[in-house]
Amino acid sequence: MNRRQFLLSSAAAAATTLSWRKLLAASAKKDNKKRYPKPLEPTMNKGVKEFRLAVGIHRHEVVPGVTFHTLAFNGQIPGP
């Protein structure tokens, strides 16, 4: 293999890897929008952003049959 062939094959491999990464990132972002809550919207008070959070203990089932207690913010895990 000469240097030109090596560079061409390396460039092709890099392009393929980057395109797959972009596709995986897009699908991960789409899945995360379904799973994770939307960011908490602040209210403005004299130029200061205020966020309202309610903290409580929540029983969370990680996998079927495995549960533990955790903190939930506004009833969400993960919190907003």
Side-chain angles (χ1 to χ4, degrees):
M1 174 182 285
N2 63 25
R3 189 171 76 163
R4 179 174 286 166
Q5 290 172 334
F6 174 76
L7 291 175
L8 287 174
S9 63
S10 297
T16 303
T17 302
L18 292 176
S19 66
W20 275 104
R21 181 180 291 175
K22 193 171 190 176
L23 289 174
L24 291 175
S27 67
K29 287 178 185 177
K30 185 178 177 183
D31 290 342
N32 286 341
K33 283 183 181 180
K34 295 176 194 173
R35 284 194 310 202
Y36 296 117
K38 293 182 180 178
L40 186 60
E41 294 294 324
T43 57
M44 295 298 290
N45 184 9
K46 298 178 185 175
V48 177
K49 291 181 181 180
E50 291 183 347
F51 296 89
R52 301 271 179 187
L53 287 176
V55 181
I57 296 176
H58 181 76
R59 190 172 179 169
H60 184 65
E61 186 173 21
V62 182
V63 294
V66 178
T67 60
F68 61 92
H69 290 89
T70 186
L71 290 177
F73 297 91
N74 291 359
Q76 301 173 355
I77 298 174

